[in-house]
């Protein structure tokens, strides 16, 4: 069975699918701007708090999940387009426990990035969520 | 105001027989005119932190004198040379798109400009101060 981190990543992809953009878990190769809008879902880091005393067998994990929502729009409409995606994503992901995989999911930061290097203004709103989940120390594939 | 020798050089640089092309330029509230320049429409990589994008970047480089008064949101349109053909002679250049006929060096009749080709609006302009302007375009 896959690591819970991978299961959460897949669950986030499912949660944001159907919100008006192509969803992919990859961020490694450049994306074709003609295929925008796109949501890139990936995880960047995870902190672990090892349980003490009777809970020593468990690990409380806080996973940082990033969703980059990118779109092209006219200069005057780009920020609004990105914020519209932010509304959809925050609604779908914030507070979601992904069928019991997570104990809690909360938005921790939002970052806007825009550019006019190409022939259409292009922007990305980066939403970072903390997804808190717990596993047994010897089994990272199952939540408890 | 640039020296006449520079104007002469620019005429060579923007020769349509080499790299330059003609585009239909329509100033806001004005009439369409043909502008000759070097049109670049290359892919560029746009970096947005962990992610990046390949995107077209359209730019026309042309003599400043051919677009005096140019402003943001003016319109440029590509001419479809492949389908309609460009006929040139020593004295005239004729672009015939069926519904538009433009003849340099003689009277011009553009007819109704409704659909010339892929359109752009001017996003921003960089004038190098020596008679050449770079016009960065936003795809329509």
């Amino acid at each position: 069975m896959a690591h819970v981190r991978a299961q959460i990543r897949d669950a986030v992809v499912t949660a944001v699918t159907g919100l008006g953009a192509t969803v992919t878990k990859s961020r490694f190769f450049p994306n074709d701007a003609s295929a925008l809008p796109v949501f890139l879902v990936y995880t960047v880091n995870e902190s672990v708090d090892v349980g003490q005393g009777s809970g020593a067998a468990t690990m409380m994990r806080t996973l940082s999940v990033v969703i980059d929502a990118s779109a092209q729009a006219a200069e005057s409409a780009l920020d609004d387009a990105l914020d519209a995606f932010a509304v959809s994503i925050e609604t779908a992901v914030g507070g979601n426990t992904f069928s019991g995989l997570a104990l809690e999911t909360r938005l921790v930061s939002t970052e806007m990035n825009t550019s006019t290097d190409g022939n259409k203004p292009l922007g990305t709103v980066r939403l970072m969520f903390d997804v808190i989940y717990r596993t047994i120390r010897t089994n990272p594939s199952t939540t408890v | 105001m640039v020296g006449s020798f520079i104007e002469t050089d620019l005429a060579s640089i923007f020769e349509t027989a080499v790299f330059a092309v003609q585009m239909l330029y329509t100033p806001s509230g004005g009439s369409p005119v043909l502008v000759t320049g070097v049109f670049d429409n290359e892919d560029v990589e746009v970096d947005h932190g962990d992610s990046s994008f390949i995107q077209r970047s359209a730019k026309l480089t042309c003599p400043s004198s051919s677009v005096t008064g140019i402003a943001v949101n003016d319109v440029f349109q590509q001419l479809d040379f492949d389908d309609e053909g460009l006929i040139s002679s020593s004295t005239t250049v004729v672009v015939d798109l069926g519904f538009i006929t433009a003849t340099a060096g003689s009277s011009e009749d553009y007819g109704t400009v409704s659909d010339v080709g892929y359109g752009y609006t001017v996003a921003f302009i960089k004038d190098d101060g020596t008679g050449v302007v770079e016009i960065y375009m936003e795809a329509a």
Side-chain angles (χ1 to χ4, degrees), chain A residues 27-76:
Chain A
R27 66 186 183 285
F28 304 111
F29 293 112
N31 296 272
D32 185 350
S34 63
L36 293 177
V38 65
F39 295 166
L40 307 181
V41 178
Y42 52 99
T43 50
V44 287
N45 59 54
E46 182 179 272
S47 62
V48 179
D49 184 16
V50 179
Q52 301 293 320
S54 61
T58 64
M59 303 174 89
M60 190 69 79
R61 302 171 183 246
T62 301
L63 173 65
S64 295
V65 177
V66 176
I67 303 171
D68 284 344
S70 300
Q72 287 181 305
E75 182 183 10
S76 59

Side-chain angles (χ1 to χ4, degrees), chain B residues 112-135:
Chain B
T112 301
V113 178
S114 58
D115 183 14
V116 179
Y118 203 72
Y120 301 88
T121 57
V122 176
F124 59 96
I125 305 147
K126 288 168 65 178
D127 192 329
D128 74 354
T130 63
V132 174
V133 65
E134 292 180 332
I135 303 161

Side-chain angles (χ1 to χ4, degrees), chain A residues 7-40:
Chain A
Q7 296 177 51
I8 289 173
R9 207 160 45 234
D10 287 341
V12 172
V13 167
T14 300
V16 300
T17 295
L19 299 181
T22 303
V23 183
T24 175
K25 288 192 290 183
S26 173
R27 66 186 183 285
F28 304 111
F29 293 112
N31 296 272
D32 185 350
S34 63
L36 293 177
V38 65
F39 295 166
L40 307 181

Side-chain angles (χ1 to χ4, degrees), chain A residues 27 30-31 33 40 42 70 72 115 117-120 122 124 126, chain B residues 44-46 48 50-58 137-139:
Chain A
R27 66 186 183 285
N31 296 272
L40 307 181
Y42 52 99
S70 300
Q72 287 181 305
S115 62
D117 295 332
N119 62 11
K120 199 86 174 174
L122 192 157
T124 297
R126 171 165 300 169
Chain B
V44 295
E45 184 167 352
V46 180
H48 277 193
D50 281 349
S51 56
S52 62
F53 303 86
I54 301 297
Q55 187 179 18
R56 281 291 171 91
S57 178
M137 302 183 188
E138 180 177 340

Side-chain angles (χ1 to χ4, degrees), chain A residues 31-137:
Chain A
N31 296 272
D32 185 350
S34 63
L36 293 177
V38 65
F39 295 166
L40 307 181
V41 178
Y42 52 99
T43 50
V44 287
N45 59 54
E46 182 179 272
S47 62
V48 179
D49 184 16
V50 179
Q52 301 293 320
S54 61
T58 64
M59 303 174 89
M60 190 69 79
R61 302 171 183 246
T62 301
L63 173 65
S64 295
V65 177
V66 176
I67 303 171
D68 284 344
S70 300
Q72 287 181 305
E75 182 183 10
S76 59
L78 185 55
D79 282 344
D80 289 344
L82 297 178
D83 276 331
F85 279 131
V87 168
S88 301
I89 293 169
E90 288 182 43
T91 302
V93 175
N96 198 329
T97 60
F98 308 109
S99 303
L101 285 172
L103 299 172
E104 184 182 357
T105 302
R106 59 184 179 225
L107 178 70
V108 291
S109 71
T110 299
E111 180 183 331
M112 292 278 209
N113 198 341
T114 60
S115 62
T116 56
D117 295 332
N119 62 11
K120 199 86 174 174
L122 192 157
T124 297
V125 57
R126 171 165 300 169
L127 304 170
M128 184 174 287
F129 292 88
D130 274 355
V131 180
I132 300 168
Y133 68 102
R134 184 172 54 207
T135 64
I136 296 172
R137 191 179 300 183

